[in-house]
Amino acid sequence: MLFQTMEGGSFLNLIESIDKFAVGIFRQFLIREDADKVLILTPNEEYKRWAIAYLSTRLKGFGKKVVVECEGGRKEQKEIESPKDNLLDKYTFENFVVGPSNELAYKVCLEVAKNPGKLFNPLFIYGRSGLGKTHLLHAIGNQLKARYRVLYIPLMDFSDSMVKAFKENRVEEFRERFFNLDVLLLDDVQFLVGKERTQIELFRIYEKLQAEEKQIVLVSDRHPRDLKDVSERLISRFESGLIIEVGLDEETKRRIIKQKLILYGLPLDQETIDYVFENTGYNVREIEGFVKTLKVSGIKRLPKSEELDKEKKVQLIINTVAKGFKLNPELLKKDTKERKVINARHIAMFLCKTILNLPYSQIGEFFGKKDHTAVMYAVKKVEQRCREDRKFMYMVSFFEKSIRKSLGL
Ligand code: ADP
Ligand code: MG
């Protein structure tokens, strides 16, 4: 026989440590346990289903294969996998960069990770994409997973898994998986919009977990009140706890850039930091992408002579456009708000981008230290007007042709 019965084996000890009531039921079953496998024989199918549902969320870290079978020799066996928590080790509190715009969210998450189910329950975190919301959810989970039953799940997966359970007549099993949690980390809650069945199931789980003071953390790209087409009762539950926004400010962005440069073994000088800063938006995912590209393609800086050459080319563009508008070229570098000057400045900036393909930040420098966002705006504005206004487009392409000719391009 494959198994030796081990009286009071480690399986029963485990169950006893979880819950005295359940151990009483398991003692009625025939249990055979060896070093790496446990076979549980239940008296009937009903007990078998119960045992499977009960164990499906409680065997984390147990380390042995557990099989439940019905006495009476049914061949069908069901192996219970140790529950997946879906947590990614790479997202921790230690590697989350903190600054003014995410400090509050960070501190509250840290508190939740110390005392789940206590102070901030539910916790609702919202903010634009790429600002570290998912990172924080995993960080909480990673801190708690050794001592608590934790599950990280994006709403779409929750929804898919629910639909599958309904189809396969396993709804109770599906619910049990959530009812037995200590910590539920639910990501991308905005996808609840319009999903009625999912909302009903989530509400049921939510109420059960809250009643037992189990921790729930929800993440969304918008505030609960902006979740249209989500039932009022769910929204009011979300709003009943603490709601925190994560953002990204200049200081935090700079700190994150430094962290990512270190991570990819790139130089940490001010020039490189500025270069990344000015060529990325307020989105950490974008910053990571940009730094990765730098790692692959290298940081290209031109020698001084070429820099000088570039300055001359920019000046030529400014002179040509200013002349067309009958303006003093220097005006384009000042802060003049006159319509005509703004127009000419936008076109000149646009041409610096399209003809010379300089970084936005550098174009800004040549135009009297203007911010890179002002250059981005100018380029977008000219592109838009070119699409809408044929005369304007002709004028811009006339400038472009004449400049290309002068530059020998
Ligand atoms: P969101 O869920 O808000 O869209 P993510 O958590 O997926 O954003 O973050 C996108 C990427 O940026 C991830 O790789 C994450 O590790 C990183 N990231 C975001 N915020 C920070 C931060 N404050 N410090 C370090 N890395 C961060
Ligand atoms: Mg996310």
Side-chain angles (χ1 to χ4, degrees), residues 312-373:
K312 276 189 200 150
K313 289 176 181 168
V314 171
Q315 194 58 50
L316 180 111
I317 293 176
I318 293 177
N319 291 347
T320 310
V321 177
K323 198 169 159 205
F325 277 83
K326 297 192 174 53
L327 288 168
N328 176 350
E330 286 311 299
L331 269 180
L332 270 56
K333 299 182 190 174
K334 302 248 162 62
D335 274 334
T336 321
K337 296 274 188 285
E338 198 187 318
R339 187 82 247 135
K340 196 166 143 186
V341 180
I342 294 178
N343 233 341
R345 186 186 300 126
H346 282 180
I347 294 172
M349 284 176 166
F350 169 82
L351 292 171
C352 287
K353 189 72 201 166
T354 47
I355 300 174
L356 304 176
N357 196 23
L358 300 177
Y360 293 114
S361 52
Q362 203 170 30
I363 300 174
E365 283 290 314
F366 285 126
F367 281 78
K369 295 202 185 310
K370 302 231 165 11
D371 192 68
H372 69 285
T373 51

Side-chain angles (χ1 to χ4, degrees), residues 277-296:
F277 187 92
E278 284 154 9
N279 286 287
T280 51
Y282 279 78
N283 178 324
V284 186
R285 204 171 284 126
E286 187 186 336
I287 295 169
E288 278 182 343
F290 191 80
V291 173
K292 265 186 218 166
T293 320
L294 276 190
K295 177 74 184 168
V296 177

Side-chain angles (χ1 to χ4, degrees), residues 134 187-188 285:
T134 297
D187 205 351
D188 292 326
R285 204 171 284 126

